[in-house]
Amino acid sequence: MEEEFKTIFHELIYKFKKPWNEVSFILYFVFVIVIFGGLGVLLLLFQEPADNVYLDISQNLLTYSIALLVPAFVSMLAQCLPSSSKKLSLVIVIVTILIIEGFMVYWCYFSGALVASIISTLLAWFFWVVVNCDNIYLKDKTYDNDIRESASKLSEKW
């Protein structure tokens, strides 16, 4: 743990701000997570207008956000929880967000609320960044060093 935080919210904000100085992280987030991951939502914008395009967009966006959010929470429990000094608060935040996500699904499914889908997607992106802020494989220098070390270990066996 790098430093002691007053509340879990301080810790989450710190982890959200941490990786944005790494170009490889930014590129991965923008191209892989936002563009390629959200391709189903983006392609919907170029189709012929359907009966209720807002319903289609909101449901696709909600599906995309759930696909990001749930694995982010599982990873958060496995990676962030052991190193967090606010374990109980982190679990409460995760459970609360999952309950809010359940309401968002209900709201979106029955009313096609685009706002619910957008909020859900923003939450998913936030927690994806928090979980991956220390991911060494999203840093250019670490990735190169890992490849060199793996290659040298492999060459030792020859």
Side-chain angles (χ1 to χ4, degrees):
M1 178 94 179
E2 287 121 18
E3 66 181 82
E4 187 67 29
F5 300 100
K6 291 181 182 178
T7 67
I8 189 64
F9 301 110
H10 289 102
E11 184 176 347
L12 292 173
I13 295 298
Y14 171 79
K15 287 185 175 198
F16 179 77
K17 291 179 180 179
K18 185 178 177 181
W20 295 107
N21 59 355
E22 189 73 37
V23 175
S24 58
F25 180 90
I26 295 168
L27 291 173
Y28 186 87
F29 179 76
V30 170
F31 288 105
V32 176
I33 300 301
V34 175
I35 295 175
F36 293 133
L39 206 54
V41 178
L42 294 172
L43 290 177
L44 187 63
L45 298 174
F46 297 106
Q47 287 183 343
E48 289 182 28
D51 294 337
N52 191 350
V53 70
Y54 289 114
L55 178 65
D56 293 342
I57 291 173
S58 66
Q59 288 178 346
N60 283 8
L61 201 55
L62 189 69
T63 303
Y64 164 70
S65 68
I66 291 170
L68 278 178
L69 195 61
V70 173
F73 282 152
V74 170
S75 296
M76 185 176 279
L77 288 173
Q79 296 171 4
C80 299
L81 189 63
S83 66
S84 176
S85 62
K86 312 283 188 236
K87 290 174 179 48
L88 180 60
S89 297
L90 184 60
V91 170
I92 291 170
V93 166
I94 290 172
V95 170
T96 303
I97 296 297
L98 287 174
I99 291 170
I100 290 170
E101 188 68 23
F103 285 118
M104 298 284 192
V105 169
Y106 179 81
W107 185 19
C108 177
Y109 181 74
F110 288 107
S111 67
L114 191 58
V115 172
S117 301
I118 292 171
I119 291 169
S120 181
T121 301
L122 293 175
L123 280 173
W125 286 344
F126 176 83
F127 282 103
W128 186 91
V129 170
V130 167
V131 167
N132 288 287
C133 72
D134 293 324
N135 189 339
I136 60 172
Y137 296 108
L138 298 179
K139 299 178 180 177
D140 285 330
K141 290 179 184 177
T142 309
Y143 184 79
D144 288 343
N145 290 339
D146 189 48
I147 289 174
R148 281 189 198 103
E149 287 175 15
S150 296
S152 66
K153 288 179 185 176
L154 182 62
S155 65
E156 289 173 0
K157 296 180 181 180
W158 285 84

